[in-house]
């Protein structure tokens, strides 16, 4: 979980974010905006590369959890 301290522009280059069930919701070429002050988080179940641009300060990290995939 993070809090955006400025507008955060995210361009998905490969892979993508997923929902809690693991279903992919963002794909290569997708754009996402986290406006300043927005609390947000991401589920990433596959290798993902993004290009992020901040208009000011980077996110304030509130919580980070890494969960190993069973397999």
């Amino acid at each position: 979980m993070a809090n955006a301290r400025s507008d955060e522009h995210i361009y998905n280059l490969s892979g993508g974010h997923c929902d809690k069930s693991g279903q992919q919701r963002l794909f290569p070429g997708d754009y996402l905006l986290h406006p300043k002050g927005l609390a947000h988080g991401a589920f990433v179940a596959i290798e993902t590369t993004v290009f992020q641009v901040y208009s000011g300060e980077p996110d304030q990290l509130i919580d980070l959890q890494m969960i190993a995939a069973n397999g």
Side-chain angles (χ1 to χ4, degrees):
M1 177 70 68
N3 185 36
R5 291 182 173 170
S6 65
D7 288 342
E8 176 185 7
H9 305 270
I10 302 170
Y11 301 91
N12 191 14
L13 302 176
S14 68
H17 293 90
C18 303
D19 62 18
K20 289 183 180 181
S21 71
Q23 181 72 30
Q24 190 170 349
R25 296 292 181 205
L26 291 176
F27 298 88
D30 284 348
Y31 165 79
L32 183 63
L33 170 65
H34 293 145
K36 183 177 182 176
L38 177 73
H40 61 90
F43 294 94
V44 181
I46 58 176
E47 186 172 331
T48 300
T49 304
V50 299
F51 178 70
Q52 290 177 273
V53 177
Y54 297 92
S55 61
E57 295 296 318
D59 284 356
Q60 172 190 18
L61 185 60
I62 299 168
D63 182 33
L64 173 66
Q65 296 181 20
M66 300 289 287
I67 302 170
N70 295 331

